[in-house]
Amino acid sequence: MTVEVGSIAPDFTLPDSNRAPVSLSSFRGQKAVLVVFYPFAFSGVCTAELCAVRDDLASFQNEQVQVLAVSTDPAPALKAWAQAQGYTFPLLSDFWPHGAVAKEYGVFHEQGGMALRGTFLVGLDGVVTFAEVNEPGVARDQSSWKRAVAALPVS
């Protein structure tokens, strides 16, 4: 079951591309969080999506919102991809236990062993204010993310 708008976002702590732990709950009361699940580093659609975030980062990440991108790739692969693409937002590894966080959010694709394209905007209070899930190979329309971020109350 996919996490729905109005529900409390499941908390998680995952290693970033440098293996430093990042917890969703560490942002509570300070910043909203745009959690972007994607299938695989270095894949065409995922690269295009995250490059679009990189190229228009101010629309997604600012003093009120933090982007956290999550895949089931291991941290070293995420580090190489972040360096190759110039990503400055955290890429988090849901590698082990494999896909555990993606499963909690209802976006784990069992047959593929990967996350689906799930996007969740978590408010300051930990409540999901936006949720979207796309199947593998189907790119997301990020204009809905921009609208959701722009609609957040100014703190």
Side-chain angles (χ1 to χ4, degrees):
M1 183 106 179
T2 303
V3 172
E4 296 180 354
V5 170
S7 64
I8 297 290
D11 191 24
F12 58 81
T13 300
L14 292 172
D16 68 11
S17 59
N18 292 309
R19 296 191 176 132
V22 176
S23 297
L24 177 63
S25 59
S26 70
F27 296 96
R28 188 169 289 187
Q30 298 177 29
K31 284 188 172 192
V33 180
L34 185 65
V35 182
V36 180
F37 288 92
Y38 60 95
F40 296 114
F42 295 102
S43 64
V45 175
C46 296
T47 298
E49 285 186 334
L50 291 190
C51 283
V53 171
R54 177 201 64 203
D55 295 345
D56 191 14
L57 191 57
S59 293
F60 305 105
Q61 180 175 289
N62 53 47
E63 61 281 344
Q64 293 189 104
V65 185
Q66 176 65 53
V67 172
L68 298 178
V70 182
S71 76
T72 58
D73 295 297
L78 297 177
K79 184 170 185 157
W81 194 41
Q83 289 172 339
Q85 298 299 329
Y87 301 140
T88 58
F89 47 88
L91 302 183
L92 306 183
S93 174
D94 190 16
F95 182 71
W96 195 257
H98 195 71
V101 174
K103 288 174 187 172
E104 283 190 67
Y105 278 75
V107 296
F108 188 72
H109 188 273
E110 289 288 341
Q111 291 103 332
M114 63 185 182
L116 297 171
R117 297 178 195 289
T119 312
F120 303 89
L121 183 58
V122 181
L124 290 172
D125 57 0
V127 174
V128 176
T129 63
F130 172 85
E132 163 189 77
V133 180
N134 286 25
E135 294 300 313
V138 179
R140 293 171 273 202
D141 176 6
Q142 295 173 349
S143 62
S144 60
W145 307 0
K146 290 179 186 180
R147 286 190 300 275
V149 167
L152 287 169
V154 177
S155 58

